[in-house]
Amino acid sequence: MTAPNTAPTVSTLPSTAAPQASTGRKRYARVLSIAGSDSGGGAGIQADLKTCSALGCYGMTAITAITVQNTLGVTGIHGIPLATVRDQIDAVVQDIGVDAVKIGMLATPEVVSVVADAIRRHQIKNVVLDPVMVATSGDRLIAPETAQVLVREIFPLASVITPNLDEAAMLLGRGIGGIDDLDAAVADLLAMGAPAVLLKGGHLPGDLVMDVLGRQGQAASDYLRLQSQRIATHNGHGTGCTLSSAIASFLAQGLALEQAVTEARRYILGAIAAGADVYTGHGHGPLNHGYAPRAQLIV
C-alpha cells in the first residue's frame, strides 16, 4: 500500500499554544517532537523530523537524551539536563507555536515530570505519546520506575498513546499472545488513564498485521481495527517513532484522530515497502521516510 502524493486539503487549523497572529497571516502546520536523538538517523528525533517534512509539516524538537546508536543497537545514553529540556519546549512554544506534539523517549521520572509540566503550562493539545521503552534491537531505553510516572503524569494529557506489544506488556505486566488478546489489552490500557490507545500488533506472528484503536467509553466492538499484509523486510528500525510523528503531523493538519491514524498507517506502510530491500548498516535498517514527499502545507 502506498500513500498519496498530495496532502489533505485543510481550510483552517486549530491554533494550540501559539502566539496570536494577525488575520490572514500565513504559517506552517507545526509539530514539536519531544524525544531522544538517534545518531544512526533511523529513529527518534531524526525519524520524526524526516516524517514531518515528508508529510508537509514544519518539525521542531526538544531533545531529551542523546543515544549512541546505529543499526546494530544502543551502546550509550546521555540524558539532557532537565532545565534544558524545559527551556527547549518553552522557546519553541512561546515563539513559533505548536499544533501537535509527539512525545518519544523519556528516560527518567524527572524528565517525564518536566515534560508533563510543560504540556500543562502551555495547554498543549494534540499530544501523541509513543511510550518508548525498548529499541528494535531489544535494548531497554528507560528505567523501569519511569513507566509508573509516565502513566500517572502523561497518559491523562495525551490525545492517544501508541504502544507496541512489548511496551504494552511492560505497562500491563502481562504478555499479549495473539490477535484475540488485543481488545482486552486496549481496554486495560484505557483503564490506566489514556483517552485513546493505538495498540500496534506488528510483533505478533503471521502474514497479517492488526492494529487496534480504542477510545475511552467505547465498547470493544466499536474499536477501529486496521489490518494489512505483512511486508517482508529487515528494515524495521524507527517504525514506532515514524508512526507516532505521522499521527501528530496529520493532527496538526486538522484531521480527526481516526483519520489521522488511518493516514499515518498508510504512510508508514508505503515507507516500509519503499525501503524493504535497501541495506543501511549491518543490522535493522530504517524506513524510506521520503519515498513520496508532500509539499509543505501553508495555512
Side-chain angles (χ1 to χ4, degrees), residues 70-216:
N70 55 27
T71 65
L72 297 173
V74 180
T75 56
I77 300 175
H78 173 72
I80 301 299
L82 299 177
T84 304
V85 175
R86 180 199 63 217
D87 292 347
Q88 289 176 91
I89 299 170
D90 289 350
V92 166
V93 174
Q94 291 167 359
D95 176 39
I96 301 170
V98 173
D99 297 303
V101 170
K102 173 264 172 78
I103 300 174
M105 180 183 177
L106 303 178
T108 66
E110 292 78 14
V111 74
V112 171
S113 295
V114 165
V115 171
D117 175 69
I119 293 171
R120 287 190 292 262
R121 282 190 293 108
H122 295 296
Q123 300 181 19
I124 298 174
K125 308 299 181 185
N126 292 329
V127 177
V128 180
L129 171 63
D130 184 23
V132 177
M133 299 178 179
V134 183
T136 303
S137 59
D139 297 292
R140 180 183 288 270
L141 297 176
I142 69 169
E145 63 270 20
T146 304
Q148 295 180 356
V149 184
L150 196 70
V151 170
R152 184 176 70 246
E153 298 226 26
I154 304 287
F155 272 34
L157 302 173
S159 305
V160 62
I161 67 170
T162 63
N164 62 30
L165 295 186
D166 292 338
E167 292 155 351
M170 289 180 64
L171 289 166
L172 295 173
R174 70 173 191 269
I176 300 170
I179 286 179
D180 292 341
D181 298 328
L182 295 179
D183 284 359
V186 169
D188 289 344
L189 288 166
L190 289 169
M192 297 174 76
V197 174
L198 175 65
L199 181 57
K200 300 172 294 189
H203 290 175
L204 292 175
D207 293 332
L208 292 177
V209 175
M210 172 80 77
D211 301 331
V212 179
L213 173 66
R215 286 180 179 264
Q216 285 283 355

Side-chain angles (χ1 to χ4, degrees), residues 7-8 10 13 27-29 55-57 252-253 294-299:
V10 181
L13 294 180
R27 64 172 178 82
Y28 300 117
L55 295 177
C57 291
Q253 294 177 26
R294 304 172 183 221
Q296 191 154 44
L297 182 66
I298 300 176
V299 297

